[in-house]
Amino acid sequence: MFDRLFGRKPALDGNALPVVRNVTLGRTVTVDPLAWRRFGSELLFPFDRDTLVIVAQGLVDLNEGGFVHRFYTDDDIMFQAVSNDRDGQDVTDVTLFAPWDSAYPSSAAERPAWKSRLKARTFTAEGLPEYSRSWFGPEASEQDPVTFWEELHDDRDGIVDRRIFQTCMLFSRDLPGDDGRELLLAIDMENEAGEVSFEIMLGVALELGEFRA
Protein backbone atom coordinates (compact mmCIF):
# COMPACT_ATOMS: atom_id res chain seq x y z
CA MET A 1 0.00 0.00 0.00
CA PHE A 2 2.71 2.49 0.99
CA ASP A 3 4.71 1.73 -2.13
CA ARG A 4 1.70 2.66 -4.28
CA LEU A 5 0.93 5.80 -2.29
CA PHE A 6 4.45 7.18 -2.42
CA GLY A 7 5.34 6.02 -5.90
CA ARG A 8 7.92 3.38 -5.10
CA LYS A 9 8.16 1.10 -8.10
CA PRO A 10 8.41 -2.68 -7.82
CA ALA A 11 11.80 -4.18 -8.49
CA LEU A 12 12.46 -5.39 -12.01
CA ASP A 13 13.52 -8.95 -12.72
CA GLY A 14 17.30 -9.22 -12.59
CA ASN A 15 17.71 -6.08 -10.45
CA ALA A 16 18.27 -7.90 -7.18
CA LEU A 17 21.39 -6.76 -5.39
CA PRO A 18 24.64 -8.50 -6.30
CA VAL A 19 26.24 -10.96 -3.89
CA VAL A 20 29.97 -10.26 -4.04
CA ARG A 21 32.25 -13.01 -2.66
CA ASN A 22 29.25 -14.04 -0.53
CA VAL A 23 28.92 -10.48 0.85
CA THR A 24 25.59 -8.68 0.61
CA LEU A 25 23.15 -6.63 2.66
CA GLY A 26 21.99 -8.44 5.80
CA ARG A 27 25.06 -10.64 6.16
CA THR A 28 28.08 -10.47 8.47
CA VAL A 29 31.63 -10.14 7.18
CA THR A 30 34.52 -11.45 9.27
CA VAL A 31 37.88 -9.80 8.62
CA ASP A 32 41.22 -11.41 9.43
CA PRO A 33 42.61 -9.09 12.16
CA LEU A 34 46.15 -9.54 10.83
CA ALA A 35 45.06 -7.74 7.67
CA TRP A 36 45.35 -4.43 9.50
CA ARG A 37 46.79 -5.10 12.97
CA ARG A 38 50.14 -6.18 11.54
CA PHE A 39 50.97 -2.52 10.95
CA GLY A 40 50.72 -1.71 14.66
CA SER A 41 50.59 1.87 15.88
CA GLU A 42 51.80 3.24 12.54
CA LEU A 43 48.33 2.64 11.14
CA LEU A 44 45.90 5.49 11.89
CA PHE A 45 42.98 3.58 10.34
CA PRO A 46 40.33 3.80 13.13
CA PHE A 47 39.08 0.22 13.10
CA ASP A 48 38.54 -1.83 16.26
CA ARG A 49 36.61 -4.96 15.32
CA ASP A 50 36.85 -8.16 13.31
CA THR A 51 33.20 -8.42 12.17
CA LEU A 52 30.98 -6.16 10.08
CA VAL A 53 27.18 -6.36 10.07
CA ILE A 54 26.04 -5.05 6.69
CA VAL A 55 22.96 -2.79 6.90
CA ALA A 56 23.15 -0.97 3.54
CA GLN A 57 24.60 -1.66 0.10
CA GLY A 58 25.72 0.69 -2.64
CA LEU A 59 26.47 0.21 -6.32
CA VAL A 60 28.48 2.48 -8.60
CA ASP A 61 28.56 2.03 -12.38
CA LEU A 62 31.84 3.53 -13.58
CA ASN A 63 30.55 3.56 -17.18
CA GLU A 64 33.81 2.05 -18.40
CA GLY A 65 32.98 -1.60 -17.79
CA GLY A 66 33.77 -1.46 -14.07
CA PHE A 67 31.58 -1.45 -10.96
CA VAL A 68 32.14 -0.52 -7.33
CA HIS A 69 30.21 -2.51 -4.73
CA ARG A 70 29.98 -0.91 -1.28
CA PHE A 71 28.69 -2.49 1.92
CA TYR A 72 28.04 -0.36 5.02
CA THR A 73 27.68 -0.94 8.75
CA ASP A 74 25.41 1.22 10.91
CA ASP A 75 28.42 3.37 11.88
CA ASP A 76 29.57 3.86 8.27
CA ILE A 77 32.43 1.39 8.09
CA MET A 78 32.66 0.68 4.35
CA PHE A 79 33.67 -2.65 2.82
CA GLN A 80 34.33 -2.03 -0.87
CA ALA A 81 34.91 -4.37 -3.80
CA VAL A 82 35.69 -3.36 -7.38
CA SER A 83 34.70 -5.75 -10.13
CA ASN A 84 34.60 -5.93 -13.92
CA ASP A 85 30.93 -6.95 -13.88
CA ARG A 86 27.72 -5.79 -12.20
CA ASP A 87 27.22 -9.17 -10.51
CA GLY A 88 30.55 -8.90 -8.69
CA GLN A 89 31.89 -12.22 -9.92
CA ASP A 90 35.17 -10.82 -11.30
CA VAL A 91 36.56 -8.91 -8.30
CA THR A 92 39.83 -7.06 -8.86
CA ASP A 93 40.22 -5.02 -5.66
CA VAL A 94 38.91 -5.09 -2.08
CA THR A 95 39.35 -2.35 0.53
CA LEU A 96 38.07 -1.56 4.01
CA PHE A 97 37.45 2.09 4.96
CA ALA A 98 36.48 3.78 8.22
CA PRO A 99 35.34 7.41 8.68
CA TRP A 100 37.97 9.85 9.93
CA ASP A 101 36.22 13.21 9.63
CA SER A 102 33.03 14.80 8.27
CA ALA A 103 32.49 18.51 7.67
CA TYR A 104 29.45 20.42 6.51
CA PRO A 105 30.13 23.66 4.61
CA SER A 106 28.50 26.76 6.05
CA SER A 107 28.75 28.65 2.75
CA ALA A 108 29.06 27.91 -0.95
CA ALA A 109 32.55 29.43 -0.94
CA GLU A 110 33.96 26.45 0.97
CA ARG A 111 33.19 23.94 -1.74
CA PRO A 112 35.66 25.11 -4.44
CA ALA A 113 38.46 25.17 -1.85
CA TRP A 114 37.69 21.57 -0.82
CA LYS A 115 37.57 20.39 -4.43
CA SER A 116 40.90 22.11 -5.05
CA ARG A 117 42.39 19.98 -2.26
CA LEU A 118 41.11 16.86 -4.03
CA LYS A 119 43.02 17.86 -7.18
CA ALA A 120 46.35 18.34 -5.45
CA ARG A 121 49.35 16.02 -5.57
CA THR A 122 49.24 15.52 -1.78
CA PHE A 123 46.59 15.70 0.92
CA THR A 124 46.69 16.24 4.66
CA ALA A 125 44.27 17.28 7.39
CA GLU A 126 44.35 17.97 11.12
CA GLY A 127 45.82 15.00 12.97
CA LEU A 128 47.04 13.31 9.78
CA PRO A 129 50.42 13.07 8.03
CA GLU A 130 50.84 13.75 4.33
CA TYR A 131 49.30 11.35 1.80
CA SER A 132 50.22 11.23 -1.89
CA ARG A 133 47.75 10.99 -4.73
CA SER A 134 47.19 7.33 -5.56
CA TRP A 135 44.86 7.61 -8.55
CA PHE A 136 46.50 8.83 -11.79
CA GLY A 137 49.97 9.06 -10.21
CA PRO A 138 51.83 12.05 -8.79
CA GLU A 139 53.24 13.50 -12.01
CA ALA A 140 50.69 16.28 -12.60
CA SER A 141 50.50 19.06 -10.04
CA GLU A 142 46.69 18.90 -10.33
CA GLN A 143 44.38 16.08 -11.41
CA ASP A 144 40.61 16.19 -11.77
CA PRO A 145 38.86 13.95 -9.22
CA VAL A 146 36.61 11.03 -10.12
CA THR A 147 32.86 11.70 -10.15
CA PHE A 148 29.96 9.25 -10.01
CA TRP A 149 26.48 8.55 -8.63
CA GLU A 150 26.17 5.87 -5.98
CA GLU A 151 22.84 4.04 -5.74
CA LEU A 152 22.12 2.98 -2.16
CA HIS A 153 19.83 0.21 -0.96
CA ASP A 154 18.40 -0.48 2.50
CA ASP A 155 16.96 -3.89 1.57
CA ARG A 156 17.47 -6.56 -1.05
CA ASP A 157 14.52 -5.85 -3.36
CA GLY A 158 16.74 -4.10 -5.89
CA ILE A 159 14.90 -0.77 -5.55
CA VAL A 160 17.16 2.25 -5.15
CA ASP A 161 16.36 4.01 -1.86
CA ARG A 162 18.61 7.04 -2.41
CA ARG A 163 21.34 8.33 -4.69
CA ILE A 164 24.44 10.34 -3.76
CA PHE A 165 26.69 12.23 -6.18
CA GLN A 166 30.36 12.01 -5.22
CA THR A 167 33.53 13.77 -6.30
CA CYS A 168 36.51 11.95 -4.83
CA MET A 169 40.22 11.22 -4.94
CA LEU A 170 42.25 8.40 -3.44
CA PHE A 171 45.53 9.15 -1.65
CA SER A 172 47.93 6.83 0.20
CA ARG A 173 51.08 6.72 2.34
CA ASP A 174 53.67 4.02 2.86
CA LEU A 175 53.87 2.16 6.16
CA PRO A 176 56.82 0.25 7.65
CA GLY A 177 57.17 -3.29 6.36
CA ASP A 178 56.62 -4.93 3.00
CA ASP A 179 53.84 -3.49 0.83
CA GLY A 180 52.26 -1.65 3.74
CA ARG A 181 50.04 1.26 2.68
CA GLU A 182 47.32 3.25 4.36
CA LEU A 183 44.66 4.71 2.06
CA LEU A 184 42.85 8.03 2.35
CA LEU A 185 39.64 8.63 0.41
CA ALA A 186 38.61 12.30 0.26
CA ILE A 187 35.05 12.94 -0.93
CA ASP A 188 32.75 15.81 -1.82
CA MET A 189 29.30 14.26 -1.27
CA GLU A 190 25.91 15.66 -2.33
CA ASN A 191 22.56 13.95 -1.91
CA GLU A 192 19.50 14.47 -4.10
CA ALA A 193 18.21 17.16 -1.71
CA GLY A 194 21.35 19.22 -2.37
CA GLU A 195 22.89 18.64 1.07
CA VAL A 196 26.69 18.65 0.89
CA SER A 197 29.36 17.17 3.15
CA PHE A 198 33.13 16.76 2.99
CA GLU A 199 34.29 13.28 4.02
CA ILE A 200 37.68 11.78 4.86
CA MET A 201 37.96 8.00 5.19
CA LEU A 202 41.06 5.96 6.03
CA GLY A 203 41.48 2.41 4.85
CA VAL A 204 43.56 -0.62 3.97
CA ALA A 205 43.56 -3.00 1.02
CA LEU A 206 42.46 -6.59 1.68
CA GLU A 207 43.45 -9.81 -0.02
CA LEU A 208 40.59 -12.08 -1.08
CA GLY A 209 41.56 -14.57 1.62
CA GLU A 210 41.48 -12.00 4.43
CA PHE A 211 37.69 -11.92 4.84
CA ARG A 212 34.72 -14.26 4.74
CA ALA A 213 30.94 -13.94 4.89
Side-chain angles (χ1 to χ4, degrees):
M1 179 179 71
F2 292 106
D3 288 349
R4 292 196 300 272
L5 284 173
F6 295 106
R8 197 173 194 232
K9 297 179 181 179
L12 301 176
D13 291 343
N15 269 12
L17 286 181
V19 179
V20 182
R21 306 290 295 193
N22 211 33
V23 180
T24 190
L25 198 158
R27 295 186 182 174
T28 298
V29 180
T30 302
V31 181
D32 182 350
L34 291 179
W36 51 278
R37 286 180 180 155
R38 67 177 181 269
F39 300 117
S41 60
E42 294 292 333
L43 190 70
L44 299 177
F45 174 56
F47 190 66
D48 58 359
R49 73 198 72 172
D50 302 334
T51 59
L52 309 172
V53 179
I54 306 303
V55 300
Q57 183 167 340
L59 180 63
V60 176
D61 185 346
L62 297 177
N63 296 318
E64 297 177 354
F67 295 83
V68 180
H69 307 268
R70 289 175 164 178
F71 307 90
Y72 297 93
T73 67
D74 59 4
D75 56 351
D76 295 325
I77 300 293
M78 182 174 75
F79 180 92
Q80 176 178 280
V82 178
S83 71
N84 290 319
D85 60 315
R86 185 190 182 281
D87 293 334
Q89 301 306 300
D90 185 13
V91 174
T92 60
D93 181 80
V94 179
T95 46
L96 186 62
F97 286 98
W100 175 265
D101 186 49
S102 294
Y104 302 89
S106 57
S107 70
E110 295 181 44
R111 203 170 186 189
W114 174 255
K115 287 188 175 180
S116 179
R117 293 175 65 187
L118 304 190
K119 294 181 179 181
R121 185 181 282 121
T122 62
F123 186 97
T124 190
E126 184 176 355
L128 293 176
E130 185 176 82
Y131 293 75
S132 299
R133 189 170 61 224
S134 187
W135 287 339
F136 309 110
E139 289 78 14
S141 59
E142 288 193 345
Q143 175 66 52
D144 287 337
V146 174
T147 60
F148 53 77
W149 283 97
E150 180 176 2
E151 297 181 342
L152 285 150
H153 304 257
D154 296 321
D155 53 51
R156 290 200 43 76
D157 59 9
I159 299 171
V160 177
D161 291 291
R162 57 200 181 281
R163 298 172 76 237
I164 299 177
F165 187 75
Q166 298 172 48
T167 302
C168 58
M169 183 62 78
L170 184 69
F171 300 84
S172 65
R173 68 182 181 100
D174 291 333
L175 297 171
D178 295 335
D179 301 322
R181 282 198 315 156
E182 182 171 64
L183 307 176
L184 183 150
L185 186 63
I187 313 170
D188 175 285
M189 186 177 294
E190 181 175 357
N191 64 20
E192 291 179 292
E195 298 167 329
V196 175
S197 68
F198 305 150
E199 308 291 338
I200 299 174
M201 305 187 80
L202 299 183
V204 293
L206 297 178
E207 299 292 337
L208 294 181
E210 293 180 323
F211 66 90
R212 57 184 173 82

